[in-house]
Every structure is written in structure tokens, then in C-alpha cells.
């Protein structure tokens, strides 16, 4: 019994030590609504505590695991896994993984440029109201039409991934179409296929298949999100934050402002109309328009790849037809050669018999 009581703390210490060893730190960059960035070298547990996200959701962002493209809306965060873009979006900041990656560096610069929201100072607002009495109403309308912080970050990510995949598609088209034309032209002129060109086309077809699968996953995720209003409503972080802070049962527009200056303007813009009725809280029209625009863009990219696949299939059919034609011509030559040899041999034998050179 004494031995067992002594082993328990030892095992607990070993488990704690093992947990510390397995908690590998990764690089993240935090970008707030003012465009200020901070590099974070922390483990996943620190990220879980910082944004209050579950481990199963954070596992989606692990590059060592093969997870498809995903856009998840949680209570306080949006978990984003789009190819190399692995981010966690809150109502106040964006956490982007691997900020030193070559494909992520332009996204970081774009987030710093587009996330800050230029707002007028109180003094400037007062001067405009004195000079232009209608300026206040115009400004209110403009604020209501502006996207909240999380949507601006989401738009940057969607624009980046759509542009990235479209650029890879255009590069593939530039390489594939000339290679296919060269293959068919040499087959038509010379009647033979270069093994070098054939191997090049095979590699291009494999690259096209992989790229098509990647584009298809992003398109399917956007389509699935557009088909479910509840999933889109989960992405309204500022609206949920305003609903959680507003008094229960209030049907008037709240006049309070949260203590955080970072999210004060966002809440006043996004929840001003949604706080009036419960029906407006379920309005997802602005997000639907945003997702629809990038769904059409990624669908256009998929159509380009589909057209390229059809061109490759047509080229394969053409090559098979030409090869069959050459094969038939070769068979005809062999048959004619055989008939010629047979007729020549028969003629020689007949002539020899006629001259009595051989016996009958």
C-alpha cells in the first residue's frame, strides 16, 4: 500500500512532463481592427484559451492532418481552413497561422491594409452636421451598409484563395494547351508520338486532377454554407456579441456602447437594425451576397478546369483514333505484302512448271 501511494505522484509528474513535451509551439500572427499585428509563438492550448475554441476545431487547422476546406461558425469565432489560409477570426482580431509562409505573407499585408475602418472624429462629425444637415443620415446609411470586422477578414481570405486557385489554373492552362496541340500536330504530321511530350501531358493531367479536387472542395464548402441560413447566421460574431450584451426583452435600439473601442463601431453598425426585431437577427442577406460573389468566382475557375479536362479527353480520343488508323494502315500493308509475296511465289512456281524446270 505504501508503494502504491508513492507511485501515484510520480506517474502524475510523468504525465505532466509528457504533456509539456508534446505541446509544440507554432507561429501565429494576431491582427486587430486597427491593422496592428503581433507575432505569437504559442502552443495550441494557449490559442484555445485565447479564443475559447475546442481542440477538435483547432485540429482542423493542423497542416499535418488532411482536412478539406472548411468554414466553421462557432459561438465567438470563425474557424477558417482554406488551403494554406488557416485562420481564426473573432469580433476583435484575426489569428493567422504560419505568417512567414510565402503564400501567407501577401494575405497578412492585405489584412493590415483592409481591416482598419476609417471613422470620423466627433469634432469632424459636428462640423459636417453644421454645414450639411443631411450628412448624419447619409453617414448612418453608410455605416449600416459596411461589413463588420469578421466579414472584412473573411472577404480577404476568400478573395485570396479564389485568386490563388485561379492563378494556378491559368498557369496550368498556359502549359497544357500548347503541349496538347504539339502532341496532336506531331502525330498528324509525323505519324508518331514523342515519349517526352506524352510524359509531359501525363504530368499535366495529374496536376489538373489534383487542382480540380482542391477547387471542388472550396466550391462545395461555399455551396453548403449558402444552402443553410443557420450556418451563415453563426458567422455573425458582432451581432451575437451585441445580442449577448443587450438587455433581454428590449425592443428598442440600444444606446449603450461596449467598453472595448475596438468593437464599438462594429456593433453600432451591425446590430443597429438587428436589435429591433428577432426576425432581423436572422437576416443573412449581406453575408449571402458576399459568399455568392466568391462562389461564382470559384465556380468559374472550376469551369475552366472542366473545359481543360474535356480538351484533354478530346485529345486522347483523337490520339486513339489516329493510332487506330495507323494500326489499320499497318495491318493493310502487312496483308498486302503477304498477298504480294504469295502471288509472286505462285507466279514463279507456275513459270517453272511451264518451262519444265520442276516436275508436276
Amino acid at each position: 500500500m505504501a508503494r502504491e501511494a508513492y507511485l501515484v505522484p510520480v506517474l502524475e509528474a510523468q504525465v505532466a512532463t509528457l504533456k509539456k513535451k508534446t505541446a509544440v509551439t507554432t507561429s501565429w500572427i494576431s491582427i486587430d481592427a486597427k491593422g496592428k499585428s503581433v507575432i505569437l509563438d504559442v502552443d495550441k492550448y494557449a490559442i484555445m484559451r485565447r479564443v475559447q475554441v475546442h481542440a477538435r476545431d483547432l485540429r482542423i487547422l493542423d497542416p499535418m492532418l488532411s482536412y478539406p476546406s472548411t468554414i466553421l461558425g462557432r459561438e465567438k469565432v470563425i474557424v477558417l481552413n482554406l488551403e494554406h489560409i488557416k485562420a481564426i477570426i473573432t469580433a476583435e482580431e484575426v489569428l493567422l497561422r504560419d505568417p512567414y509562409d510565402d503564400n501567407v505573407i501577401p494575405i497578412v499585408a492585405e489584412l493590415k491594409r483592409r481591416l482598419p475602418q476609417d471613422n470620423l472624429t466627433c469634432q469632424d462629425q459636428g462640423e459636417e452636421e453644421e454645414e450639411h444637415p443631411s450628412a448624419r443620415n447619409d453617414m448612418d446609411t453608410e455605416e449600416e451598409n459596411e461589413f463588420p470586422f469578421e466579414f472584412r477578414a473573411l472577404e480577404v481570405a476568400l478573395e485570396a484563395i479564389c485568386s490563388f486557385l485561379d492563378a494556378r489554373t491559368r498557369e496550368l492552362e498556359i502549359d497544357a494547351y500548347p503541349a496538347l496541340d504539339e502532341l496532336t500536330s506531331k502525330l498528324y504530321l509525323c505519324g508518331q508520338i514523342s515519349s517526352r511530350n506524352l510524359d509531359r501531358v501525363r504530368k499535366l493531367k495529374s496536376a489538373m486532377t489534383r487542382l480540380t479536387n482542391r477547387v471542388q472542395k472550396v466550391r462545395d464548402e461555399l455551396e453548403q454554407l449558402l444552402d443553410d441560413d443557420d450556418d451563415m447566421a453563426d458567422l455573425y460574431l458582432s451581432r451575437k456579441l451585441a445580442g449577448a450584451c443587450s438587455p433581454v426583452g428590449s425592443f428598442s435600439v440600444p444606446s449603450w456602447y461596449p467598453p472595448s473601442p475596438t468593437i464599438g463601431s462594429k456593433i453600432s453598425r451591425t446590430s443597429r437594425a438587428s436589435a429591433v426585431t428577432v426576425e432581423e437577427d436572422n437576416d443573412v442577406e449581406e453575408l449571402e451576397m458576399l459568399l455568392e460573389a466568391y462562389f461564382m468566382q470559384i465556380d468559374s475557375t472550376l469551369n475552366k478546369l472542366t473545359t481543360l479536362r474535356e480538351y484533354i479527353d478530346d485529345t486522347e480520343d483523337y490520339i486513339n483514333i489516329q493510332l487506330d488508323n495507323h494500326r489499320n494502315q499497318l495491318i493493310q500493308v502487312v496483308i498486302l505484302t503477304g498477298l504480294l509475296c504469295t502471288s509472286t511465289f505462285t507466279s514463279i512456281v507456275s513459270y517453272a512448271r511451264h518451262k519444265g524446270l520442276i516436275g508436276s
Side-chain angles (χ1 to χ4, degrees):
M1 295 298 293
R3 183 179 181 181
E4 294 179 356
Y6 177 74
L7 286 176
V8 170
V10 174
L11 292 176
E12 290 179 353
Q14 291 177 351
V15 170
T17 304
L18 182 62
K19 185 177 180 180
K20 290 181 180 180
K21 291 182 178 180
T22 55
V24 181
T25 60
T26 54
S27 295
W28 296 75
I29 185 171
S30 172
I31 306 175
D32 60 13
K34 296 181 180 179
K36 297 180 180 179
S37 62
V38 178
I39 298 295
L40 304 174
D41 292 324
V42 294
D43 56 18
K44 64 178 182 180
Y45 301 105
I47 296 295
M48 290 167 56
R49 291 190 299 267
R50 183 185 181 95
V51 298
Q52 299 180 12
V53 68
H54 295 289
R56 62 178 178 271
D57 296 332
L58 196 60
R59 195 180 303 119
I60 299 175
L61 305 181
D62 192 345
M64 302 301 294
L65 303 177
S66 179
Y67 278 95
S69 297
T70 308
I71 302 176
L72 290 179
R74 293 297 185 248
E75 183 64 27
K76 296 182 179 181
V77 299
I78 298 175
V79 182
L80 204 63
N81 178 30
L82 298 174
E83 294 283 327
H84 53 275
I85 304 176
K86 302 181 183 299
I88 300 175
I89 303 174
T90 70
E92 297 177 311
E93 65 175 350
V94 178
L95 292 174
L96 195 62
R97 182 166 181 157
D98 299 329
Y100 300 113
D101 186 84
D102 293 337
N103 294 322
V104 180
I105 291 176
I107 302 173
V108 173
E110 191 68 11
L111 286 171
K112 291 180 180 179
R113 186 182 69 86
R114 295 172 58 176
L115 285 182
Q117 190 72 27
D118 296 332
N119 296 320
L120 297 175
T121 60
C122 297
Q123 182 179 358
D124 295 335
Q125 291 178 1
E127 293 176 356
E128 285 194 5
E129 289 177 6
E130 292 178 358
E131 296 177 359
H132 305 284
S134 62
R136 181 182 182 87
N137 295 330
D138 295 339
M139 187 172 54
D140 292 342
T141 305
E142 183 180 357
E143 286 181 351
E144 290 178 0
N145 294 329
E146 290 174 353
F147 278 173
F149 173 82
E150 62 270 18
F151 289 172
R152 298 202 303 275
L154 180 61
E155 184 178 10
V156 171
L158 291 176
E159 181 180 344
I161 193 60
C162 290
S163 301
F164 175 81
L165 293 176
D166 186 68
R168 302 290 83 75
T169 301
R170 283 187 277 107
E171 291 175 359
L172 186 62
E173 287 178 331
I174 293 173
D175 294 335
Y177 284 114
L180 293 170
D181 294 337
E182 182 181 0
L183 189 66
T184 55
S185 62
K186 286 190 175 181
L187 178 62
Y188 178 77
L189 296 175
C190 305
Q192 59 183 358
I193 300 177
S194 173
S195 59
R196 180 181 62 85
N197 290 339
L198 194 62
D199 184 66
R200 180 186 177 190
V201 171
R202 180 187 61 82
K203 293 179 180 178
L204 289 173
K205 185 178 181 181
S206 300
M208 183 209 62
T209 302
R210 292 192 299 268
L211 183 59
T212 301
N213 293 333
R214 294 162 59 187
V215 174
Q216 184 70 50
K217 290 177 181 178
V218 177
R219 181 190 179 278
D220 292 343
E221 181 62 23
L222 290 178
E223 184 179 20
Q224 182 179 359
L225 199 59
L226 284 168
D227 291 340
D228 195 330
D229 290 347
D230 293 335
D231 289 343
M232 286 191 288
D234 289 338
L235 303 183
Y236 281 80
L237 303 181
S238 298
R239 177 185 295 177
K240 290 189 291 186
L241 182 61
C245 297
S246 62
V248 179
S250 175
F251 293 93
S252 60
V253 179
S255 58
W256 52 268
Y257 288 91
S260 175
T262 310
I263 61 176
S265 58
K266 295 192 295 290
I267 295 176
S268 63
R269 289 194 301 268
T270 59
S271 66
R272 183 175 301 171
S274 61
V276 178
T277 60
V278 178
E279 294 180 357
E280 292 183 356
D281 287 339
N282 298 325
D283 182 22
V284 294
E285 183 178 357
E286 60 177 358
L287 177 59
E288 186 176 4
M289 294 176 61
L290 172 66
L291 296 177
E292 184 71 27
Y294 291 102
F295 174 79
M296 294 176 63
Q297 183 175 346
I298 199 68
D299 187 65
S300 175
T301 303
L302 185 60
N303 289 336
K304 293 180 183 179
L305 293 171
T306 302
T307 303
L308 179 59
R309 175 180 289 277
E310 292 175 353
Y311 194 83
I312 292 177
D313 293 339
D314 293 341
T315 303
E316 290 179 347
D317 293 339
Y318 175 79
I319 291 174
N320 291 331
I321 292 173
Q322 291 295 327
L323 290 178
D324 290 341
N325 185 31
H326 289 307
R327 189 183 302 111
N328 293 335
Q329 292 178 357
L330 182 61
I331 292 174
Q332 289 178 1
V333 170
V334 172
I335 293 175
L336 291 176
T337 304
L339 291 175
L340 180 62
C341 293
T342 303
S343 62
T344 303
F345 178 76
T346 304
S347 300
I348 293 173
V349 171
S350 299
Y351 179 79
R353 284 178 180 176
H354 180 71
K355 295 297 183 178
L357 298 177
I358 58 176
S360 58

